[in-house]
Amino acid sequence: MTEITQPVPAKGEKRIVYVSLRTKLIAALAILFVVAFVAIFLWLDRFVTNMAMTNLRNDLLATAETASAGINGDNHTALFESGKIDDATYSQMSAFLRSVKGTNPRASGMYTYLQLPNEPDQVRLVVSAALPPGSEASAANTAKLSECTQIPSSSRPALGEVYKDI
């Protein structure tokens, strides 16, 4: 048997690798498809994110407008100044906020606050959708309300509690 030997390239010579036209075309098409799919993914991701943020913003604004339309500003200010949680005005506003939350269960918390002119970096809580301390949902009310509106009184912050912008 004869042995076929290939010439060994000299030190300065470059080795030539043969790549068929078919392999070159497949590689080029694969690269084009990858680039196209990445571009489509990035566009679709941005489009869906913008659409979700727009829907979220619209839902939030609609919920805020609904809640603000049902609260009397003078009563709200008087409630803040009196500081009484067991006031009928507080109960009425809290019940209204729970009803608004019932229409939009995705709203995580319903509350009102005041920003005082001499405290521009903080707000003070006035009314929360949580049940007032000492009261529990009755069986009749529980049947009407979904679980998302049954906010326990233990999660309710104190009237006038300060929150700062961090």
Side-chain angles (χ1 to χ4, degrees):
M1 207 159 53
T2 19
E3 198 174 302
I4 301 175
T5 59
Q6 299 215 350
V8 179
K11 253 189 173 180
E13 278 185 49
K14 291 186 179 179
R15 194 172 215 171
I16 298 175
V17 179
Y18 173 75
V19 181
S20 70
L21 180 60
R22 182 179 186 182
T23 305
K24 291 177 185 177
L25 287 174
I26 289 173
L29 284 174
I31 290 171
L32 285 175
F33 277 121
V34 167
V35 168
F37 285 133
V38 166
I40 290 170
F41 171 78
L42 292 175
W43 173 81
L44 196 59
D45 180 56
R46 186 178 43 186
F47 176 75
V48 170
T49 301
N50 287 341
M51 183 184 294
M53 290 303 290
T54 300
N55 287 342
L56 181 62
R57 185 178 298 112
N58 291 341
D59 285 350
L60 186 62
L61 287 174
T63 302
E65 288 173 4
T66 302
S68 67
I71 294 178
N72 182 315
D74 294 333
N75 291 346
H76 188 261
T77 304
L79 179 64
F80 176 72
E81 290 170 356
S82 75
K84 294 182 182 173
I85 237 179
D86 54 356
D87 190 355
T89 306
Y90 176 86
S91 299
Q92 178 187 9
M93 286 184 198
S94 181
F96 177 72
L97 290 178
R98 279 193 299 281
S99 71
V100 171
K101 182 163 176 49
T103 61
N104 187 358
R106 292 183 294 169
S108 64
M110 296 293 297
Y111 55 89
T112 65
Y113 63 86
L114 282 177
Q115 184 175 24
L116 301 176
N118 59 345
E119 301 169 342
D121 61 336
Q122 60 189 17
V123 296
R124 293 185 181 264
L125 182 97
V126 181
V127 180
S128 170
L131 295 169
S135 67
E136 296 300 324
S138 66
N141 288 344
T142 305
K144 292 189 294 185
L145 301 174
S146 65
E147 283 187 29
C148 67
T149 59
Q150 298 175 28
I151 306 159
S153 60
S154 60
S155 68
R156 194 241 180 269
L159 179 72
E161 189 169 329
V162 176
Y163 291 93
K164 291 187 177 193
D165 183 20
I166 299 175

